[in-house]
Amino acid sequence: MSNKKNNLTTSWGAPVGDNQNSMTAGSRGPTLIQDVHLLEKLAHFNRERVPERVVHAKGAGAHGYFEVTNDVAKYTKANFLSEVGKRTPLFVRFSTVAGENGSADTVRDPRGFAVKFYTEEGNYDLVGNNTPVFFIRDAIKFPDFIHTQKRDPKTHLKNPNAIWDFWSLSPESLHQVTILMSDRGIPATYRHMNGYGSHTFKWVNEQGEAVWVKYHFKTEQGIKNLTSDVAAKLAGENPDYHTEELFNAIESGDHPEWKVYVQIMPEEDANTYRFDPFDVTKVWSHKDYPLIEVGRMVLDRNPENYFAEVEQATFSPGAFVPGIEASPDKMLQGRLFAYADAHRYRVGTNHNHLPINRPKSGYHNYQRDGQMRFDNNGGDSVYYEPNSFGGPAESHENKQTPYSVSGEADSVAYDHHDHYTQAGDLYRLLSEDERTRLVQNIVEAMKPVTKEEIKIKQVQHFYKADPEYGTRIAEGLGLSAPQEV
Ligand code: NDP
Protein backbone atom coordinates (compact mmCIF):
# COMPACT_ATOMS: atom_id res chain seq x y z
CA MET A 1 0.00 0.00 0.00
CA SER A 2 1.32 3.46 -0.73
CA ASN A 3 0.38 7.04 -0.13
CA LYS A 4 -1.71 8.74 -2.75
CA LYS A 5 0.74 10.46 -5.10
CA ASN A 6 -0.31 13.95 -4.18
CA ASN A 7 -0.56 13.46 -0.43
CA LEU A 8 1.84 15.66 1.54
CA THR A 9 3.92 13.43 3.79
CA THR A 10 6.45 13.78 6.58
CA SER A 11 10.03 12.75 5.86
CA TRP A 12 9.16 9.34 7.28
CA GLY A 13 6.47 9.05 4.66
CA ALA A 14 3.31 9.40 6.69
CA PRO A 15 0.50 11.59 5.33
CA VAL A 16 0.21 15.02 6.96
CA GLY A 17 -3.24 15.92 8.24
CA ASP A 18 -2.80 19.70 8.53
CA ASN A 19 0.01 21.81 7.10
CA GLN A 20 -1.59 25.22 7.79
CA ASN A 21 -2.55 25.11 11.47
CA SER A 22 -0.33 23.93 14.28
CA MET A 23 -1.89 21.79 16.97
CA THR A 24 -2.77 23.77 20.11
CA ALA A 25 -4.45 23.03 23.44
CA GLY A 26 -7.74 24.68 22.67
CA SER A 27 -8.08 27.30 19.95
CA ARG A 28 -6.09 29.89 22.04
CA GLY A 29 -3.95 27.43 23.90
CA PRO A 30 -0.16 26.88 23.70
CA THR A 31 1.25 24.74 20.92
CA LEU A 32 1.55 21.04 21.62
CA ILE A 33 4.84 19.22 21.40
CA GLN A 34 2.94 16.25 20.03
CA ASP A 35 2.58 18.11 16.71
CA VAL A 36 5.61 16.24 15.45
CA HIS A 37 5.05 17.44 11.91
CA LEU A 38 5.49 21.03 13.14
CA LEU A 39 8.61 20.07 15.12
CA GLU A 40 10.18 18.35 12.14
CA LYS A 41 9.26 21.16 9.77
CA LEU A 42 10.93 23.80 11.95
CA ALA A 43 13.92 21.65 12.81
CA HIS A 44 14.63 20.78 9.20
CA PHE A 45 14.31 24.41 8.21
CA ASN A 46 16.91 25.33 10.83
CA ARG A 47 19.33 23.01 9.09
CA GLU A 48 18.69 23.99 5.46
CA ARG A 49 22.07 25.67 4.98
CA VAL A 50 25.34 23.82 4.66
CA PRO A 51 28.43 25.94 5.45
CA GLU A 52 29.07 28.20 2.49
CA ARG A 53 32.34 27.78 0.66
CA VAL A 54 35.05 29.82 2.41
CA VAL A 55 36.05 31.02 -1.07
CA HIS A 56 33.95 30.99 -4.26
CA ALA A 57 30.73 31.07 -2.21
CA LYS A 58 28.58 32.84 -4.83
CA GLY A 59 28.22 30.92 -8.05
CA ALA A 60 26.09 29.68 -10.90
CA GLY A 61 26.25 26.35 -12.69
CA ALA A 62 25.18 24.62 -15.87
CA HIS A 63 25.31 21.22 -17.54
CA GLY A 64 26.75 20.61 -20.97
CA TYR A 65 29.23 18.53 -22.88
CA PHE A 66 32.79 18.47 -24.12
CA GLU A 67 33.52 17.34 -27.66
CA VAL A 68 36.96 16.41 -28.95
CA THR A 69 37.82 18.28 -32.18
CA ASN A 70 41.50 17.45 -32.51
CA ASP A 71 43.52 14.30 -31.93
CA VAL A 72 45.77 14.68 -28.88
CA ALA A 73 46.20 10.96 -28.18
CA LYS A 74 49.95 11.25 -28.77
CA TYR A 75 50.11 13.41 -25.61
CA THR A 76 47.55 11.77 -23.32
CA LYS A 77 45.82 8.43 -22.89
CA ALA A 78 42.89 10.17 -21.16
CA ASN A 79 39.96 8.20 -22.48
CA PHE A 80 37.63 11.18 -22.87
CA LEU A 81 40.19 12.81 -25.20
CA SER A 82 40.88 9.63 -27.15
CA GLU A 83 39.02 10.26 -30.42
CA VAL A 84 37.76 13.16 -32.45
CA GLY A 85 34.00 13.54 -32.09
CA LYS A 86 33.81 11.88 -28.67
CA ARG A 87 31.44 13.69 -26.31
CA THR A 88 31.63 13.71 -22.52
CA PRO A 89 28.92 15.18 -20.28
CA LEU A 90 30.09 17.85 -17.88
CA PHE A 91 28.98 20.31 -15.24
CA VAL A 92 30.46 23.79 -14.83
CA ARG A 93 30.34 26.18 -11.91
CA PHE A 94 31.30 29.84 -12.31
CA SER A 95 31.78 31.99 -9.24
CA THR A 96 33.25 35.07 -7.65
CA VAL A 97 35.92 34.48 -5.00
CA ALA A 98 35.73 36.76 -2.00
CA GLY A 99 32.06 37.59 -1.48
CA GLU A 100 29.48 35.67 0.50
CA ASN A 101 26.73 33.54 -0.96
CA GLY A 102 24.40 36.52 -1.50
CA SER A 103 27.04 39.01 -2.64
CA ALA A 104 26.89 40.95 -5.90
CA ASP A 105 28.01 39.23 -9.07
CA THR A 106 29.53 42.28 -10.78
CA VAL A 107 32.37 42.95 -8.36
CA ARG A 108 36.02 43.19 -9.34
CA ASP A 109 37.26 39.71 -8.50
CA PRO A 110 38.67 36.71 -10.34
CA ARG A 111 35.96 34.30 -11.48
CA GLY A 112 36.08 30.61 -10.66
CA PHE A 113 35.80 28.40 -13.74
CA ALA A 114 35.35 24.84 -12.47
CA VAL A 115 34.58 21.97 -14.84
CA LYS A 116 33.60 18.42 -13.90
CA PHE A 117 33.96 16.00 -16.82
CA TYR A 118 31.95 12.80 -16.22
CA THR A 119 34.35 10.54 -18.12
CA GLU A 120 34.11 6.78 -18.62
CA GLU A 121 37.12 6.42 -16.32
CA GLY A 122 35.86 8.55 -13.45
CA ASN A 123 35.35 12.25 -12.94
CA TYR A 124 37.98 14.68 -14.08
CA ASP A 125 37.76 18.08 -12.38
CA LEU A 126 39.55 21.09 -13.78
CA VAL A 127 39.17 23.76 -11.12
CA GLY A 128 40.43 26.93 -12.75
CA ASN A 129 39.76 30.63 -12.98
CA ASN A 130 39.11 33.20 -15.69
CA THR A 131 42.74 34.28 -15.24
CA PRO A 132 45.80 32.30 -16.35
CA VAL A 133 47.79 33.08 -13.18
CA PHE A 134 47.22 33.44 -9.43
CA PHE A 135 48.20 35.92 -6.67
CA ILE A 136 50.47 33.56 -4.76
CA ARG A 137 52.45 30.49 -5.69
CA ASP A 138 52.71 28.55 -2.44
CA ALA A 139 49.61 27.14 -0.72
CA ILE A 140 51.05 28.01 2.68
CA LYS A 141 50.16 31.66 1.97
CA PHE A 142 46.55 30.99 0.97
CA PRO A 143 44.73 31.40 4.32
CA ASP A 144 46.55 34.71 4.95
CA PHE A 145 45.81 35.94 1.47
CA ILE A 146 42.12 35.12 1.75
CA HIS A 147 41.90 36.77 5.18
CA THR A 148 42.90 40.03 3.47
CA GLN A 149 40.13 39.60 0.88
CA LYS A 150 37.46 38.88 3.48
CA ARG A 151 36.03 41.08 6.24
CA ASP A 152 38.09 42.79 8.92
CA PRO A 153 37.39 41.06 12.26
CA LYS A 154 36.70 44.38 14.04
CA THR A 155 34.74 46.42 11.52
CA HIS A 156 33.26 43.52 9.53
CA LEU A 157 34.14 45.56 6.44
CA LYS A 158 36.53 44.93 3.57
CA ASN A 159 39.89 46.41 4.53
CA PRO A 160 41.96 48.09 1.76
CA ASN A 161 44.93 48.37 4.14
CA ALA A 162 45.00 44.60 4.56
CA ILE A 163 44.50 43.94 0.85
CA TRP A 164 47.33 46.21 -0.33
CA ASP A 165 49.59 45.45 2.64
CA PHE A 166 49.55 41.77 1.69
CA TRP A 167 50.01 42.42 -2.03
CA SER A 168 52.82 44.94 -1.49
CA LEU A 169 54.63 42.40 0.72
CA SER A 170 53.95 39.55 -1.74
CA PRO A 171 55.16 40.97 -5.05
CA GLU A 172 54.54 37.66 -6.83
CA SER A 173 50.90 38.89 -6.85
CA LEU A 174 51.67 41.76 -9.23
CA HIS A 175 50.82 39.93 -12.45
CA GLN A 176 47.41 38.78 -11.17
CA VAL A 177 46.73 42.18 -9.58
CA THR A 178 47.32 43.75 -12.99
CA ILE A 179 44.85 41.36 -14.64
CA LEU A 180 42.34 41.89 -11.83
CA MET A 181 42.51 45.67 -12.12
CA SER A 182 42.34 45.59 -15.93
CA ASP A 183 39.09 45.44 -17.89
CA ARG A 184 39.00 41.66 -17.50
CA GLY A 185 38.60 42.08 -13.71
CA ILE A 186 34.82 42.45 -14.22
CA PRO A 187 33.48 40.21 -17.01
CA ALA A 188 30.25 41.35 -18.68
CA THR A 189 28.74 37.90 -18.12
CA TYR A 190 29.93 34.41 -17.28
CA ARG A 191 29.61 33.64 -20.98
CA HIS A 192 31.97 36.39 -22.11
CA MET A 193 35.13 35.31 -20.33
CA ASN A 194 37.89 32.82 -20.91
CA GLY A 195 38.76 30.01 -18.55
CA TYR A 196 42.22 28.75 -17.67
CA GLY A 197 43.41 25.68 -15.79
CA SER A 198 46.06 28.11 -14.46
CA HIS A 199 48.32 25.41 -13.03
CA THR A 200 50.64 23.25 -15.02
CA PHE A 201 49.51 19.63 -15.20
CA LYS A 202 51.05 16.48 -16.61
CA TRP A 203 49.67 14.53 -19.55
CA VAL A 204 50.82 10.94 -20.07
CA ASN A 205 50.28 8.87 -23.21
CA GLU A 206 49.82 5.10 -23.71
CA GLN A 207 53.59 4.64 -23.90
CA GLY A 208 54.05 6.29 -20.52
CA GLU A 209 55.63 9.40 -22.06
CA ALA A 210 54.86 12.61 -20.24
CA VAL A 211 54.50 16.28 -21.20
CA TRP A 212 53.56 19.34 -19.17
CA VAL A 213 50.28 20.97 -20.10
CA LYS A 214 48.29 24.18 -19.52
CA TYR A 215 44.59 24.57 -20.42
CA HIS A 216 42.88 27.52 -22.10
CA PHE A 217 39.10 27.80 -22.64
CA LYS A 218 38.45 30.63 -25.07
CA THR A 219 34.96 32.05 -25.15
CA GLU A 220 33.21 31.83 -28.52
CA GLN A 221 30.97 34.67 -27.36
CA GLY A 222 33.98 37.01 -27.39
CA ILE A 223 35.51 38.71 -24.36
CA LYS A 224 33.31 41.46 -22.96
CA ASN A 225 33.79 43.34 -19.74
CA LEU A 226 32.02 45.90 -17.59
CA THR A 227 33.50 49.23 -16.57
CA SER A 228 33.66 49.85 -12.84
CA ASP A 229 30.82 52.40 -13.03
CA VAL A 230 28.41 50.14 -14.88
CA ALA A 231 29.33 47.22 -12.62
CA ALA A 232 28.67 49.27 -9.48
CA LYS A 233 25.27 50.33 -10.80
CA LEU A 234 24.37 46.73 -11.69
CA ALA A 235 25.53 45.50 -8.27
CA GLY A 236 22.87 47.72 -6.73
CA GLU A 237 20.13 47.06 -9.24
CA ASN A 238 20.60 43.35 -9.72
CA PRO A 239 23.22 41.67 -7.52
CA ASP A 240 22.49 38.37 -9.28
CA TYR A 241 23.09 39.77 -12.75
CA HIS A 242 25.56 37.13 -13.94
CA THR A 243 23.58 34.26 -12.43
CA GLU A 244 20.40 35.45 -14.11
CA GLU A 245 22.09 36.15 -17.43
CA LEU A 246 23.59 32.66 -17.67
CA PHE A 247 20.32 31.00 -16.71
CA ASN A 248 18.26 33.03 -19.16
CA ALA A 249 20.69 32.52 -22.03
CA ILE A 250 20.68 28.75 -21.63
CA GLU A 251 16.93 28.65 -21.04
CA SER A 252 16.32 30.56 -24.27
CA GLY A 253 18.50 28.15 -26.27
CA ASP A 254 21.50 30.50 -26.54
CA HIS A 255 24.05 27.89 -25.48
CA PRO A 256 27.46 29.33 -24.62
CA GLU A 257 30.52 27.67 -26.06
CA TRP A 258 34.25 27.70 -25.43
CA LYS A 259 37.04 26.38 -27.63
CA VAL A 260 39.47 24.40 -25.56
CA TYR A 261 43.21 24.57 -26.23
CA VAL A 262 46.33 23.36 -24.51
CA GLN A 263 49.91 24.45 -24.43
CA ILE A 264 52.28 21.49 -24.40
CA MET A 265 55.80 21.66 -22.96
CA PRO A 266 58.18 18.73 -23.45
CA GLU A 267 59.06 17.26 -20.07
CA GLU A 268 62.75 18.16 -20.26
CA ASP A 269 62.09 21.84 -21.10
CA ALA A 270 60.97 22.35 -17.50
CA ASN A 271 64.63 22.16 -16.47
CA THR A 272 65.80 24.87 -18.83
CA TYR A 273 62.85 27.22 -19.48
CA ARG A 274 63.64 30.81 -18.58
CA PHE A 275 61.47 30.65 -15.47
CA ASP A 276 59.96 27.85 -13.43
CA PRO A 277 57.04 26.54 -15.52
CA PHE A 278 55.34 25.29 -12.35
CA ASP A 279 55.14 28.81 -10.90
CA VAL A 280 51.41 29.68 -11.12
CA THR A 281 52.13 33.43 -11.12
CA LYS A 282 53.55 33.07 -14.64
CA VAL A 283 52.09 32.28 -18.06
CA TRP A 284 53.92 30.33 -20.70
CA SER A 285 54.45 32.57 -23.69
CA HIS A 286 52.22 31.65 -26.61
CA LYS A 287 55.22 32.21 -28.85
CA ASP A 288 57.20 29.52 -27.02
CA TYR A 289 54.30 27.09 -26.62
CA PRO A 290 51.52 27.81 -29.12
CA LEU A 291 47.93 26.89 -28.40
CA ILE A 292 46.86 23.46 -29.69
CA GLU A 293 43.14 22.92 -30.19
CA VAL A 294 41.59 20.03 -28.27
CA GLY A 295 37.84 20.45 -28.33
CA ARG A 296 34.84 22.53 -27.49
CA MET A 297 32.72 22.93 -24.40
CA VAL A 298 29.02 23.70 -24.73
CA LEU A 299 26.62 24.52 -21.89
CA ASP A 300 23.09 23.56 -22.88
CA ARG A 301 21.10 22.70 -19.75
CA ASN A 302 20.26 24.57 -16.58
CA PRO A 303 20.20 22.82 -13.23
CA GLU A 304 16.73 21.84 -12.08
CA ASN A 305 17.60 22.47 -8.47
CA TYR A 306 20.22 24.98 -7.39
CA PHE A 307 21.06 23.43 -4.02
CA ALA A 308 21.25 19.85 -5.29
CA GLU A 309 23.34 20.61 -8.33
CA VAL A 310 25.25 23.86 -7.76
CA GLU A 311 25.61 24.25 -4.00
CA GLN A 312 26.37 20.56 -3.46
CA ALA A 313 28.73 20.29 -6.44
CA THR A 314 32.19 19.48 -5.13
CA PHE A 315 35.18 20.07 -7.39
CA SER A 316 38.72 19.01 -6.54
CA PRO A 317 41.86 19.69 -8.57
CA GLY A 318 42.94 16.24 -7.34
CA ALA A 319 40.15 14.44 -9.22
CA PHE A 320 42.34 13.11 -12.04
CA VAL A 321 41.72 10.33 -14.55
CA PRO A 322 44.37 8.08 -16.13
CA GLY A 323 46.51 10.17 -18.51
CA ILE A 324 46.32 13.35 -16.43
CA GLU A 325 48.46 13.90 -13.35
CA ALA A 326 49.71 16.60 -10.99
CA SER A 327 52.78 18.77 -11.49
CA PRO A 328 55.06 19.95 -8.69
CA ASP A 329 53.35 23.41 -8.71
CA LYS A 330 53.35 24.22 -4.96
CA MET A 331 49.98 25.93 -5.16
CA LEU A 332 48.44 22.93 -6.91
CA GLN A 333 50.00 20.55 -4.40
CA GLY A 334 48.23 22.36 -1.55
CA ARG A 335 44.95 22.46 -3.45
CA LEU A 336 45.11 18.69 -4.00
CA PHE A 337 44.43 18.40 -0.28
CA ALA A 338 42.44 21.52 0.49
CA TYR A 339 39.53 21.20 -1.93
CA ALA A 340 38.47 17.66 -1.16
CA ASP A 341 38.95 18.40 2.52
CA ALA A 342 36.74 21.50 2.28
CA HIS A 343 33.99 19.37 0.76
CA ARG A 344 34.29 16.69 3.43
CA TYR A 345 33.68 19.45 5.97
CA ARG A 346 31.10 21.42 3.99
CA VAL A 347 29.01 18.71 2.33
CA GLY A 348 30.14 15.57 4.13
CA THR A 349 32.46 12.61 3.95
CA ASN A 350 30.33 10.94 1.31
CA HIS A 351 29.94 14.02 -0.91
CA ASN A 352 31.07 12.03 -3.95
CA HIS A 353 27.93 9.87 -3.73
CA LEU A 354 25.55 12.78 -4.32
CA PRO A 355 23.98 12.66 -7.78
CA ILE A 356 25.82 15.77 -9.04
CA ASN A 357 29.21 14.41 -7.94
CA ARG A 358 28.75 10.68 -8.46
CA PRO A 359 30.95 9.31 -11.26
CA LYS A 360 28.71 8.06 -14.05
CA SER A 361 31.27 5.30 -14.56
CA GLY A 362 30.55 3.99 -11.04
CA TYR A 363 32.93 3.44 -8.12
CA HIS A 364 34.25 0.30 -6.50
CA ASN A 365 36.25 0.68 -3.35
CA TYR A 366 36.54 -0.21 0.32
CA GLN A 367 35.30 3.06 1.76
CA ARG A 368 32.51 2.33 4.20
CA ASP A 369 30.25 4.23 6.61
CA GLY A 370 30.51 7.90 7.46
CA GLN A 371 27.75 10.47 7.85
CA MET A 372 24.98 10.35 5.26
CA ARG A 373 26.09 7.15 3.58
CA PHE A 374 22.93 6.88 1.52
CA ASP A 375 23.74 4.09 -0.93
CA ASN A 376 23.84 0.47 0.30
CA ASN A 377 27.30 1.09 1.83
CA GLY A 378 28.86 -1.76 -0.13
CA GLY A 379 26.09 -4.17 0.95
CA ASP A 380 27.56 -7.48 2.04
CA SER A 381 30.59 -7.26 -0.26
CA VAL A 382 34.14 -7.64 0.97
CA TYR A 383 35.25 -4.59 2.93
CA TYR A 384 39.07 -4.84 3.04
CA GLU A 385 41.98 -5.28 0.66
CA PRO A 386 43.82 -7.52 -0.19
CA ASN A 387 41.18 -10.23 -0.04
CA SER A 388 40.46 -13.67 -1.46
CA PHE A 389 36.85 -12.90 -2.39
CA GLY A 390 37.29 -11.26 -5.77
CA GLY A 391 36.94 -7.68 -4.50
CA PRO A 392 38.11 -4.79 -6.69
CA ALA A 393 41.87 -4.62 -7.09
CA GLU A 394 44.42 -2.09 -8.28
CA SER A 395 45.34 -1.90 -11.96
CA HIS A 396 49.06 -1.31 -12.40
CA GLU A 397 48.68 0.23 -15.83
CA ASN A 398 46.98 3.12 -14.04
CA LYS A 399 49.89 3.92 -11.73
CA GLN A 400 51.10 7.51 -11.89
CA THR A 401 54.25 8.03 -13.94
CA PRO A 402 57.45 8.40 -11.95
CA TYR A 403 59.51 11.56 -12.17
CA SER A 404 62.86 12.35 -10.64
CA VAL A 405 63.31 14.72 -7.76
CA SER A 406 66.51 15.94 -6.15
CA GLY A 407 67.69 18.26 -3.39
CA GLU A 408 67.07 18.53 0.32
CA ALA A 409 63.76 18.47 2.16
CA ASP A 410 63.44 22.12 3.18
CA SER A 411 61.07 25.07 3.22
CA VAL A 412 62.28 26.98 0.18
CA ALA A 413 60.91 29.68 -2.08
CA TYR A 414 60.80 29.42 -5.84
CA ASP A 415 64.25 30.61 -6.89
CA HIS A 416 62.88 32.95 -9.54
CA HIS A 417 62.18 36.46 -8.29
CA ASP A 418 61.19 38.27 -11.45
CA HIS A 419 57.66 39.25 -10.50
CA TYR A 420 57.75 42.17 -12.89
CA THR A 421 58.42 41.19 -16.51
CA GLN A 422 55.09 39.49 -17.22
CA ALA A 423 53.04 42.12 -15.37
CA GLY A 424 54.88 44.71 -17.48
CA ASP A 425 54.32 42.68 -20.67
CA LEU A 426 50.62 42.77 -19.98
CA TYR A 427 50.66 46.52 -19.34
CA ARG A 428 52.55 47.06 -22.58
CA LEU A 429 50.10 45.03 -24.67
CA LEU A 430 47.12 47.09 -23.49
CA SER A 431 45.77 49.95 -25.59
CA GLU A 432 46.01 53.49 -24.24
CA ASP A 433 42.34 53.41 -23.20
CA GLU A 434 42.83 50.08 -21.40
CA ARG A 435 45.90 51.46 -19.61
CA THR A 436 43.98 54.53 -18.51
CA ARG A 437 41.17 52.42 -17.05
CA LEU A 438 43.69 50.06 -15.40
CA VAL A 439 45.46 52.97 -13.71
CA GLN A 440 42.14 54.54 -12.66
CA ASN A 441 40.93 51.26 -11.18
CA ILE A 442 44.12 50.84 -9.18
CA VAL A 443 44.16 54.45 -7.98
CA GLU A 444 40.54 54.21 -6.84
CA ALA A 445 41.23 50.92 -5.07
CA MET A 446 44.37 52.25 -3.34
CA LYS A 447 43.04 55.66 -2.29
CA PRO A 448 41.37 54.33 0.88
CA VAL A 449 44.70 52.86 2.08
CA THR A 450 45.62 54.95 5.11
CA LYS A 451 49.16 53.71 5.68
CA GLU A 452 51.40 55.69 3.34
CA GLU A 453 54.27 53.18 3.34
CA ILE A 454 51.97 50.48 1.89
CA LYS A 455 51.13 52.72 -1.07
CA ILE A 456 54.75 53.62 -1.65
CA LYS A 457 55.86 50.00 -1.59
CA GLN A 458 53.12 48.96 -4.01
CA VAL A 459 53.84 51.84 -6.41
CA GLN A 460 57.45 50.66 -6.55
CA HIS A 461 56.24 47.27 -7.73
CA PHE A 462 54.15 48.82 -10.51
CA TYR A 463 57.15 50.98 -11.45
CA LYS A 464 59.39 47.94 -11.69
CA ALA A 465 56.89 46.29 -14.04
CA ASP A 466 56.91 49.36 -16.25
CA PRO A 467 58.09 52.88 -15.28
CA GLU A 468 55.10 54.47 -17.03
CA TYR A 469 52.70 52.16 -15.18
CA GLY A 470 54.22 53.06 -11.79
CA THR A 471 54.49 56.76 -12.56
CA ARG A 472 50.86 57.08 -13.60
CA ILE A 473 49.67 55.34 -10.44
CA ALA A 474 51.96 57.46 -8.27
CA GLU A 475 50.56 60.60 -9.89
CA GLY A 476 47.00 59.41 -9.39
CA LEU A 477 47.70 58.88 -5.71
CA GLY A 478 49.52 62.21 -5.33
CA LEU A 479 52.82 60.50 -4.60
CA SER A 480 56.17 61.17 -6.22
CA ALA A 481 57.20 58.50 -8.68
CA PRO A 482 60.03 56.18 -7.67
CA GLN A 483 63.37 57.35 -9.08
CA GLU A 484 64.88 53.96 -9.87
CA VAL A 485 63.95 50.57 -11.22
P1 NDP B 1 51.11 36.87 -26.57
O1 NDP B 1 51.07 38.14 -27.34
O2 NDP B 1 51.34 35.62 -27.28
O3 NDP B 1 49.77 36.69 -25.71
C1 NDP B 1 49.02 37.77 -25.35
C2 NDP B 1 47.80 37.25 -24.69
O4 NDP B 1 47.37 38.25 -23.81
C3 NDP B 1 46.63 37.07 -25.62
O5 NDP B 1 46.67 35.87 -26.27
C4 NDP B 1 45.47 37.19 -24.67
O6 NDP B 1 45.26 35.94 -24.02
C5 NDP B 1 46.01 38.11 -23.61
N1 NDP B 1 45.42 39.42 -23.69
C6 NDP B 1 45.21 40.18 -24.77
N2 NDP B 1 44.62 41.32 -24.43
C7 NDP B 1 44.45 41.29 -23.11
C8 NDP B 1 43.90 42.17 -22.17
N3 NDP B 1 43.38 43.34 -22.54
N4 NDP B 1 43.88 41.82 -20.87
C9 NDP B 1 44.40 40.63 -20.49
N5 NDP B 1 44.95 39.74 -21.34
C10 NDP B 1 44.97 40.08 -22.62
O7 NDP B 1 52.19 37.12 -25.48
P2 NDP B 1 52.64 36.25 -24.25
O8 NDP B 1 52.19 34.85 -24.33
O9 NDP B 1 54.09 36.50 -24.11
O10 NDP B 1 51.89 36.98 -23.06
C11 NDP B 1 52.05 38.37 -22.80
C12 NDP B 1 51.18 38.73 -21.64
O11 NDP B 1 49.84 38.40 -21.98
C13 NDP B 1 51.48 37.91 -20.39
O12 NDP B 1 52.42 38.52 -19.59
C14 NDP B 1 50.15 37.80 -19.74
O13 NDP B 1 49.98 38.85 -18.80
C15 NDP B 1 49.13 37.98 -20.83
N6 NDP B 1 48.43 36.72 -21.10
C16 NDP B 1 49.13 35.63 -21.55
C17 NDP B 1 48.53 34.43 -21.65
C18 NDP B 1 49.32 33.23 -22.02
O14 NDP B 1 48.85 32.12 -21.77
N7 NDP B 1 50.50 33.38 -22.61
C19 NDP B 1 47.09 34.25 -21.36
C20 NDP B 1 46.44 35.47 -20.96
C21 NDP B 1 47.13 36.64 -20.79
P3 NDP B 1 43.95 35.09 -24.26
O15 NDP B 1 44.01 34.75 -25.71
O16 NDP B 1 44.07 33.94 -23.36
O17 NDP B 1 42.80 35.98 -23.98
Side-chain angles (χ1 to χ4, degrees), residues 50-53 57 101 306-307 309-313 346-347:
V50 295
E52 70 173 32
R53 294 166 169 87
N101 206 339
Y306 183 87
F307 182 83
E309 291 156 76
V310 186
E311 192 64 5
Q312 293 198 121
R346 192 177 69 84
V347 182

Side-chain angles (χ1 to χ4, degrees), residues 132 175 179 182 184 194 196 216 218 223 263 283-287 291 421-423 425-426 429-430 434:
H175 192 187
I179 296 174
S182 78
R184 291 194 188 187
N194 288 346
Y196 303 88
H216 302 252
K218 293 217 184 197
I223 294 210
Q263 287 175 289
V283 294
W284 299 353
S285 162
H286 289 142
K287 290 160 207 96
L291 298 182
T421 303
Q422 293 201 350
D425 287 346
L426 179 58
L429 73 75
L430 299 180
E434 288 175 315

